[in-house]
Amino acid sequence: MPVRIHFRRNLFSFRHIEKWIFTFYIFIKIGFTFYSSIPTDETEILEPYSFEEFKQLKKRISIALDILPSIRENVSCPILFDPEDQRYPEAAAKASKWHFESSDWNFWRQFEATPNTCEALQQTFSFFTKPLSQEEAEYPLAYGMLVYKDIKQLLYVLSAFYQPQNAYCIAIDGRSSGAFKTQLQTIQTCFPNIHVFVTKRIEYCGPRIPEAVLTCVDKLNERKHSWRYFQ
Ligand SMILES: *[C@@H]1O[C@H](CO)[C@@H](O)[C@H](O)[C@H]1NC(C)=O
C-alpha cells in the first residue's frame, strides 16, 4: 500500500512534469515542422494599385505588343476598338492579314540571354505585382491550364490573366519538348503562385485531359492558399 501511494505522488512529481513538458514540446516541434514544410504562397490580402500607379503601369503594358514584329504598322488598336471610326473597315482588313507567329524558337532566347530572366519576363509582359482592385484582392481565384507547346503564346495568355493574389497550376503534356518543360520550370521559379507539373502523355480528347485538370485541383489544394474558385 505505501508503495502505491508513493507511485501516485510520483505521477505529479517534478520529474514527471518535466517529461510531459518534453513530450508536449516534441509534438509542437513535429507539428511546426510539418506546417512549415507546406510551401507558402502569398495568402495575405495584398494592397491594390493606386490610381497613380495604375496610370504608370498602363504606359508599360504596350511593351509586350511592341516586341511583336510589324504589329504596330499593321494593327491599329485605337481604330479597331472603335467600329464607328471611318477608317475601321480598312484597318480591320489590314489587321486580319497580320499573323501572330506562335512557334518562335528565338523568342525565349531574348529572355534567357538576360542576367535576370524573371525580371525581364516580368517587365516585358507587365505581370501585375498587385491586385487591380480591392474586390479582386479579397477574392483570390485558382486557374488550371493544360499546355503542350509555344512558350510565346503561353506568355501572352498567362500575363493577360495573371494577378499575384491568385494561384495558377500549369499541367505540361508529357509529350512536350524538354525545352518547353525547362522554360515552364523557369517561369515557376519567377512566381510563387505559379505551379507546374508534367503529366503523362495526353491524347487529343482523351481521358487524361480531365485527369490532368483534377490533378491541378489537387495540387492547388495542397498549397497554403486561400483561393475560392477554380477555373
Ligand atoms: C506589316 O507591316 C510591315 C511594315 O510596314 C510590312 O513589311 C508587312 O508586309 C505588313 N504586313 C503583314 C501582313 O505583316
Side-chain angles (χ1 to χ4, degrees):
M1 202 60 179
V3 175
R4 226 171 126 193
I5 289 165
H6 180 72
F7 173 74
R8 281 196 177 168
R9 254 210 346 250
N10 248 356
L11 234 165
F12 299 99
S13 79
F14 185 68
R15 259 181 31 232
H16 276 89
I17 282 179
E18 238 181 352
K19 276 182 195 161
W20 282 115
I21 289 172
F22 184 69
T23 314
F24 187 65
Y25 170 78
I26 292 293
F27 269 106
I28 293 284
K29 195 84 183 151
I30 291 169
F32 184 75
T33 312
F34 173 73
Y35 186 74
S36 58
S37 70
I38 298 173
T40 50
D41 264 337
E42 299 191 9
T43 45
E44 83 271 26
I45 292 174
L46 300 162
E47 188 81 4
Y49 284 109
S50 69
F51 184 65
E52 265 315 303
E53 284 172 325
F54 192 70
K55 260 175 39 190
Q56 294 300 318
L57 191 71
K58 255 177 87 178
K59 286 183 197 152
R60 279 207 350 248
I61 287 175
S62 66
I63 299 173
L65 288 181
D66 292 335
I67 58 167
L68 292 173
S70 75
I71 189 172
R72 291 296 179 207
E73 297 90 328
N74 296 286
V75 183
S76 172
C77 292
I79 302 174
L80 292 171
F81 276 115
D82 180 15
E84 303 292 308
D85 195 305
Q86 286 189 340
R87 296 163 292 171
Y88 182 85
E90 197 195 323
K94 199 174 174 191
S96 68
K97 289 198 192 91
W98 182 79
H99 176 69
F100 174 79
E101 190 55 66
S102 59
S103 300
D104 183 347
W105 288 102
N106 283 318
F107 189 77
W108 181 258
R109 294 216 184 110
Q110 62 185 309
F111 300 107
E112 212 175 29
T114 57
N116 191 339
T117 306
C118 290
E119 204 185 302
L121 288 171
Q122 205 275 323
Q123 295 287 317
T124 309
F125 290 94
S126 292
F127 277 94
F128 297 129
T129 54
K130 291 178 177 191
L132 292 176
S133 66
Q134 190 61 35
E135 201 181 354
E136 285 157 292
E138 288 168 13
Y139 204 94
L141 303 172
Y143 290 87
M145 299 168 88
L146 174 59
V147 297
Y148 167 55
K149 61 172 185 171
D150 295 339
I151 197 71
K152 181 179 177 182
Q153 189 173 9
L154 182 67
L155 278 167
Y156 277 98
V157 173
L158 188 61
S159 60
F161 62 80
Y162 176 89
Q163 285 202 49
Q165 77 278 12
N166 296 337
Y168 298 85
C169 167
I170 305 177
I172 313 167
D173 187 339
R175 290 188 306 159
S176 300
S177 70
F180 185 65
K181 289 173 192 159
T182 315
Q183 289 158 358
L184 279 163
Q185 301 286 354
T186 305
I187 292 176
Q188 173 171 249
T189 64
C190 299
F191 302 93
N193 56 341
I194 296 182
H195 317 294
V196 309
F197 77 100
V198 180
T199 68
K200 294 171 194 157
R201 297 167 75 86
I202 306 273
E203 300 301 331
Y204 185 68
C205 284
R208 282 186 183 157
I209 296 175
E211 198 185 308
V213 174
L214 290 175
T215 311
C216 257
V217 179
D218 247 7
K219 297 223 176 255
L220 289 165
N221 250 339
E222 284 166 14
R223 316 289 306 188
K224 222 169 77 195
H225 195 286
S226 55
W227 59 270
R228 312 256 191 111
Y229 188 86
F230 174 82
Q231 54 192 14

